[in-house]
Amino acid sequence: SIFPRDRVSDDPAVLAGYAADSATLPGASTSPCYVVLPKTTDEVVHLVQVADRARVPLVPMARGSNIAGMSVSVQGGIVVDCRMMDQILEINTESGYALIEPGVTFHKLCAALAERGFFCHLPTASGGSSALANYMMRPSGNFTARWDPDPLLSLEVVTPGHGVIRTGSASFENAGWRARYECLPDLTGLFANSFGTLGIVTKGSVKIFD
């Protein structure tokens, strides 16, 4: 009841596309029971609450360009495909950050930043992959800002037990998304490298450079 029918699927032909990636061995693919495509944080909140009550596993996916099985379900469950959450919400050249959703690709982010005379971290990833998802994994290579290897600042994460959590300066009302550290432990670092096991990231701010 949360999602329109065209953004929920249990069609076997659709599910087959989510059952494997290039790292999956032949015969080892595992289809999810459903695929859901949210567009807003509120939709993700409702989905996480329903799945938590029913004890159904969720597997978040940003753009689906994975090569290491990270978005392939191993227990059935629901794949949460966030590719439709693809908005660049803010480019703040004064504070040096961009606020983006998980579906924003490097192509889209780089083009928007170039119009302002800025650029972002470029890891060893394709242009069609998710910038935020790659930054959450700590990029394997960084060709444009080797002197500053961690681009993550503040995050918005939907969790089953505590609802929406914001980290860094975004955790304080009216403080903006500009800083990783405030007067609390590094919660951004807690969610980095968690691969969706602690919650689903719905937006994040990342460093940009002139």
Side-chain angles (χ1 to χ4, degrees), residues 156-176:
E156 179 182 85
V157 189
V158 178
T159 67
H162 301 283
V164 178
I165 294 175
R166 288 185 172 178
T167 71
S169 58
S171 63
F172 296 92
E173 188 175 359
N174 301 322

Side-chain angles (χ1 to χ4, degrees), residues 23 27 31 58-59 63 79 83-84 114 130 141-142 154 157 167 169 187 194 200:
S31 291
L58 297 175
V59 179
R63 294 297 305 190
V79 169
R83 71 182 63 238
M84 300 184 78
S130 164
N142 191 343
S154 298
V157 189
T167 71
S169 58
L187 294 182
S194 68
I200 298 178

Side-chain angles (χ1 to χ4, degrees), residues 30 33 51 54 56 75 114 135 143 147 158 167 177 179-180 191:
T30 306
C33 299
V56 176
Q75 303 178 41
Y135 294 158
F143 303 132
W147 34 265
V158 178
T167 71
W177 295 77
R180 169 118 174 209
F191 289 107

